[in-house]
Amino acid sequence: MRSKMIKEGLERMPHRALLYATGLPKSEIGKPFIGVATSFTDLIPGHTGMRDLERFIEKGVHTGGGYPFFFGVPGICDGIAMGHGGMHYSLASRELIADMVETVAEAHRLDGLVLLTNCDKITPGMLMAAGRLNIPSIVVTAGPMISGHYRGRRLNLTSDTFEAVGKFKKGLIRKEELEALEMCACPGAGSCQGMYTANTMACVTEALGMSLEGCATALAVSSKKRRIAFESGRLIAHLVKRNITPRKIMNIRAFENAIMVDLALGGSTNTTLHIPAIAHEAGIDLPLDAFDRLALKTPHITDMLPGGKNYLEDLDYAGGIPAVLKRLRQKLNDNITVSGKNIYEIADKAEIFDEDVIRPLDRAHHAQGGIVVLKGNLAPGGSVVKQSAVSKNMMKFRGTAIVFNSEEEAMKAILAGKVRSGHVVVIRYEGPKGGPGMREMLSPTSAIAGMGLSESVALITDGRFSGGTRGPCIGHISPEAMEGGPLAIVEDGDPIRIDIPGRRLEVLLTDVEIGRRLKTWKKPAPKINKGYLARYARSVSSANEGAIMK
């Protein structure tokens, strides 16, 4: 055990004295030391219920023969941070979370980790730490929120709050309804109810084999989630004793499985940042093109919010991720998981309780997976779009550019009615370096949808989107504008062509004209030049590399 370094031998007497000062009984010092990295906070609905899960993890660790030590990891709620300067910190916090887990685990020589997480950047940050440390680890995602209800209809965060802003601005809903939606859309603890980034990453984590079967969709505050938390705590000492480490689980087979499950679910485009970043920490090169390659053979079989109608609770009641694995079994790779069961074993034992929520492959909603990669003279390094959330008549679109150098500029113009049918909204200098922090654009995309323009307006950006975004919204354009990518030289009125089936994103200018403009382009001053974000901007890589720190 790694913890022997701090608890065995004469010279470790002072270390033992300090450990006993924490209340550690002398009878427990020989057991594996298990770190429980908890991201509990009062700030995030997805995390407010974690105190309860901590209790059950603790019971499980003791039952399994380990001794738990809890330590805190910070979290940011993307929904609350969105639409203002706070969103600069969201993606950047992923690296801090990975560094903090690494720092505590290494400094205290922990033998294993239980990673209690839920929301957007916390889950990938913890998985990155697990891959980097390569000590036995198991992830517990705290679970999705139940649906809201108002006058007989179910509610969710995106369409019933973010999109409601645009609807109210256009006079489509009354103030009384707006206020009711504000109170009813999010009824309690848990991650937001659709296949947004938090829930997508929970599903990816389970498909990777890093959490127990059923964990991703088990609802927050449910007894099922409590039992999963207990069993995760019980199993971690077993993983330590058998030296089952993350890199033995998170191999290339596992990452391909995770991507295929993501594609089948129509998950958030943010996975194209997070999955490659986790793979990088696990010592695996996973290029962006892997998503497009696997999309060609992975059908989209669930109709999940935001583009569809089903909530995470529907997916859970239909059988959860094990049922999705059962549907995809012939395409998946067999691999070990933290449960001790292999992927095929989990798939074979799974039951599918709703044939419409998790469709057979021959009745898929789309023949190809939810996320595709577009390239062209606007995105030589690639860009991403959630095609499962784009209507058929917007899969190909040609429009004229209306250009903004920040999200705030774009949002002001959209709400002022300056964005009209036929426009391609261009938001640039919002990439990993330019943002800095690659802010999500849910506010402008939701305003466009709420104002009834999602069938006639497209949006492209070197920033990124929330998992709640729907419509022809293309993000992660690489190289980003701050690096002198072609997006930097687009002007108002330039014709832009989007061809999702053809995987192309182009500004209809000659190479000569593009070259002329690039020669005269001048790099703007950084938006933020102090503190962590200034350091982040200097070190972060492009979106097509997962926005990892170098």
Side-chain angles (χ1 to χ4, degrees):
M1 292 187 292
R2 284 160 41 101
S3 59
K4 288 182 178 181
M5 296 181 187
I6 61 168
K7 63 189 183 184
E8 291 189 0
L10 175 63
E11 69 277 15
R12 297 304 183 218
M13 177 189 169
H15 303 67
R16 291 192 294 274
L18 290 168
L19 287 166
Y20 292 139
T22 70
L24 173 72
K26 194 170 184 178
S27 61
E28 304 299 292
I29 198 165
K31 293 181 178 178
F33 281 5
I34 305 300
V36 183
T38 174
S39 50
F40 166 79
T41 171
D42 290 326
L43 289 167
I44 308 176
H47 294 234
T48 55
M50 286 183 176
R51 283 288 183 248
D52 185 54
L53 296 180
E54 290 172 4
R55 291 177 58 234
F56 281 84
I57 291 170
E58 185 174 28
K59 291 177 183 181
V61 173
H62 282 300
T63 300
Y67 191 85
F69 293 91
F70 285 75
F71 64 94
V73 172
I76 289 173
C77 177
D78 283 29
I80 296 172
M82 205 170 292
H84 56 85
M87 196 63 194
H88 290 293
Y89 288 90
S90 175
L91 180 61
S93 74
R94 185 188 72 179
E95 319 308 312
L96 291 175
I97 290 161
D99 290 350
M100 287 175 183
V101 174
E102 174 201 354
T103 298
V104 173
E106 292 286 42
H108 291 270
R109 311 312 295 164
L110 298 173
D111 297 306
L113 292 168
V114 180
L115 304 168
L116 179 57
T117 175
N118 212 25
C119 286
D120 298 42
K121 308 308 161 302
I122 301 109
T123 299
M126 287 192 175
L127 282 167
M128 288 166 67
R132 184 187 303 171
L133 288 163
N134 200 33
I135 63 174
S137 304
I138 191 167
V139 178
V140 179
T141 49
M145 184 187 297
I146 60 172
S147 58
H149 285 265
Y150 175 66
R151 293 193 172 184
R153 67 183 177 94
R154 289 199 294 178
L155 306 179
N156 70 88
L157 173 73
T158 300
S159 57
D160 296 304
T161 62
F162 279 92
E163 292 182 13
V165 173
K167 291 176 183 176
F168 178 72
K169 187 74 177 179
K170 202 170 181 182
L172 299 176
I173 58 175
R174 296 175 292 108
K175 184 178 180 182
E176 293 77 13
E177 183 176 353
L178 188 77
E179 291 175 348
L181 293 175
E182 185 174 314
M183 293 303 298
C184 298
C186 299
S191 49
C192 302
Q193 304 103 324
M195 195 55 69
Y196 313 140
T197 304
N199 289 323
T200 302
M201 283 308 304
C203 294
V204 162
T205 302
E206 187 175 331
L208 271 173
M210 288 298 293
S211 61
L212 296 184
E213 60 265 36
C215 186
T217 60
L219 293 168
V221 306
S222 67
S223 59
K224 179 180 177 181
K225 182 62 75 177
R226 284 177 161 187
R227 289 189 290 270
I228 288 170
F230 174 86
E231 187 64 10
S232 298
R234 189 187 71 81
L235 278 173
I236 187 62
H238 176 72
L239 295 177
V240 170
K241 289 169 186 174
R242 294 185 60 200
N243 195 33
I244 305 297
T245 58
R247 291 192 181 193
K248 292 177 181 177
I249 297 169
M250 292 196 296
N251 50 42
I252 188 61
R253 298 186 301 277
F255 284 107
E256 289 190 345
N257 287 345
I259 292 172
M260 284 187 276
V261 168
D262 178 20
L263 294 167
L265 294 171
S268 166
T269 52
N270 281 315
T271 58
T272 64
L273 293 171
H274 300 323
I275 295 176
I278 298 163
H280 173 76
E281 295 290 358
I284 294 169
D285 180 35
L286 191 69
L288 180 62
D289 289 342
F291 285 82
D292 208 47
R293 171 175 58 83
L294 293 169
L296 294 172
K297 71 170 190 174
T298 308
H300 172 224
I301 59 173
T302 65
D303 189 34
M304 304 296 297
L305 290 165
K309 64 181 181 180
N310 292 317
Y311 290 63
L312 257 290
E313 62 197 56
D314 300 320
L315 183 61
D316 188 55
Y317 300 146
I321 297 306
V324 175
L325 298 177
K326 191 178 192 74
R327 284 287 193 233
L328 298 176
R329 188 189 188 282
Q330 61 183 310
K331 299 178 181 294
L332 297 174
N333 308 301
D334 202 12
N335 202 51
I336 64 170
T337 73
V338 289
S339 70
K341 302 171 188 173
N342 286 3
I343 290 292
Y344 285 175
E345 185 181 353
I346 293 169
D348 290 341
K349 290 183 178 179
E351 292 186 67
I352 300 168
F353 299 109
D354 192 320
E355 297 278 329
D356 187 57
V357 173
I358 305 173
R359 287 192 174 184
L361 302 190
D362 59 4
R363 284 203 303 117
H365 295 282
H366 302 96
Q368 296 180 3
I371 296 172
V372 296
V373 177
L374 310 185
K375 292 187 176 181
N377 64 5
L378 264 181
S383 62
V384 298
V385 61
K386 186 195 284 192
Q387 66 171 350
S388 57
V390 180
S391 66
K392 288 183 180 179
N393 64 329
M394 290 298 286
M395 295 293 279
K396 292 185 178 182
F397 183 74
R398 177 171 170 168
T400 55
I402 179 169
V403 182
F404 305 98
N405 290 332
S406 70
E407 178 190 5
E408 288 84 357
E409 287 181 17
M411 191 65 180
K412 185 176 179 181
I414 292 165
L415 293 179
K418 294 180 181 179
V419 172
R420 297 182 291 275
S421 294
H423 274 149
V424 176
V425 177
V426 177
I427 305 179
R428 63 190 178 196
Y429 299 115
E430 290 287 5
K433 289 182 179 293
M438 204 179 178
R439 292 190 291 176
E440 290 183 346
M441 303 291 159
L442 183 58
S443 292
T445 60
S446 295
I448 288 169
M451 297 175 78
L453 294 171
S454 59
E455 294 296 302
S456 59
V457 168
L459 188 150
I460 67 173
T461 181
D462 53 7
R464 60 195 177 92
F465 299 116
S466 160
T469 292
R470 62 185 176 95
C473 301
I474 298 164
H476 303 211
I477 292 176
S478 301
E480 63 176 288
M482 197 66 170
E483 292 181 313
L487 196 68
I489 55 86
V490 176
E491 298 175 358
D492 286 343
D494 283 347
I496 291 176
R497 181 167 60 208
I498 298 167
D499 181 358
I500 295 173
R503 308 295 201 259
R504 303 296 294 172
L505 176 62
E506 299 169 315
V507 58
L508 301 180
L509 301 173
T510 65
D511 292 343
V512 172
E513 175 62 13
I514 292 172
R516 183 190 68 78
R517 292 187 189 182
L518 285 171
K519 285 181 180 178
T520 59
W521 173 79
K522 293 183 180 179
K523 184 176 181 177
K527 294 177 183 176
I528 297 173
N529 54 21
K530 63 179 181 180
Y532 172 58
L533 288 176
R535 299 196 302 275
Y536 177 84
R538 289 195 294 269
S539 302
V540 69
S541 71
S542 295
N544 63 339
E545 297 180 72
I548 58 173
M549 299 280 275
K550 291 187 175 180

